[in-house]
Amino acid sequence: MSSTTSLNAPQVKAMLLIVADAVIAAEPYLSEADRNLGDGDHGLGMARGFNAVKEKLEPLDPSEGIGKLFSTAGMAMISSMGGASGAIFGTLFREGGKALSAAESFDSEGLGKMLHSATEGVMARGKAKPGDKTMIDALHPAAAKAVESAGLPISEALAATAEAAEAGRDASKAMIATLGRAKTLGQASIGHPDAGACSIALILRTMSDFAAAPTAA
Ligand SMILES: [Mg+2]
């Protein structure tokens, strides 16, 4: 397979729309992951948020810029999802968009910057740190891997980043929740991955699959 150096703005728009479809299709999986540890509303909240993302992104001209595409997605989530997940996942995309505001293409440096700022923004907002059994347990190692992958083709950087997110999601199974959806379960939270970490891994894996064979001009 040949590697993709970077994605242009129309490709980033296409990628975000495919991510939206993947999250919407994963609603039963994400709901079940939340039901195991929380109130089971995560899948529906994410589906609602990403339906709003599609509505706002479809009419957006990609020439407005890569940062604008991510920020628009973030704002759509913040205004539609409600709850902690809306604020947190919305912040992730909005902070990521700010970090890419001057970017003309989406490359591995941009990915690192985006995930680094997004992680800082989400940690500041949600007060979670690695090990609390939240989405940070997938996002934090993914961001570290993305920063380390700067300079690689975007397809390779995203593949490594998605793998780090999946390893983080799997590692969250063994953690005891101290914050977030399962904090009242204590020891009983062991054995299941955090639903937000499942969402992060899904989003990054879908981005990686897109970058491996990008569509759109
Ligand atoms: Mg929930």
Side-chain angles (χ1 to χ4, degrees):
M1 196 190 314
S2 67
S3 51
T4 307
T5 308
S6 65
L7 301 175
N8 62 27
Q11 289 171 327
V12 169
K13 177 177 171 177
M15 175 180 75
L16 291 174
L17 289 170
I18 289 171
V19 166
D21 283 333
V23 171
I24 293 163
E27 186 271 307
Y29 157 70
L30 296 174
S31 290
E32 202 203 327
D34 192 21
R35 212 174 295 123
N36 288 330
L37 290 176
D39 57 10
D41 65 349
H42 183 65
L44 286 173
M46 291 295 283
R48 187 165 60 245
F50 278 89
N51 271 305
V53 167
K54 286 180 72 172
E55 222 170 88
K56 297 288 184 195
L57 271 190
E58 269 158 3
L60 190 66
D61 185 340
S63 69
E64 290 206 44
I66 287 165
K68 175 83 173 174
L69 292 165
F70 279 97
S71 302
T72 299
M75 290 310 294
M77 280 181 244
I78 289 169
S79 60
S80 66
M81 281 170 70
S85 284
I88 288 168
F89 280 84
T91 297
L92 194 168
F93 280 80
R94 202 175 56 164
E95 290 299 318
K98 275 191 221 164
L100 291 172
S101 60
E104 301 210 340
S105 68
F106 184 46
D107 60 14
S108 55
E109 277 85 4
L111 175 71
K113 270 189 215 160
M114 177 184 93
L115 289 181
H116 178 74
S117 313
T119 305
E120 303 259 292
V122 170
M123 284 174 69
R125 178 138 205 149
K127 310 279 180 236
K129 58 188 188 312
D132 287 330
K133 198 175 181 104
T134 70
M135 53 93 89
I136 289 297
D137 292 307
L139 183 58
H140 193 274
K145 182 55 82 176
V147 168
E148 194 187 303
S149 302
L152 293 178
I154 189 66
S155 53
E156 289 174 28
L158 269 170
T161 299
E163 206 171 294
E166 287 165 351
R169 171 201 65 199
D170 292 346
S172 78
K173 286 183 201 172
M175 293 172 188
I176 298 173
T178 50
L179 266 182
R181 60 173 49 79
K183 66 170 181 276
T184 57
L185 293 179
Q187 295 276 345
S189 67
I190 294 174
H192 296 289
D194 177 69
C198 293
S199 284
I200 293 292
L202 172 71
I203 289 166
L204 289 169
R205 174 57 62 193
T206 307
M207 286 171 68
S208 172
D209 288 347
F210 180 91
T215 52

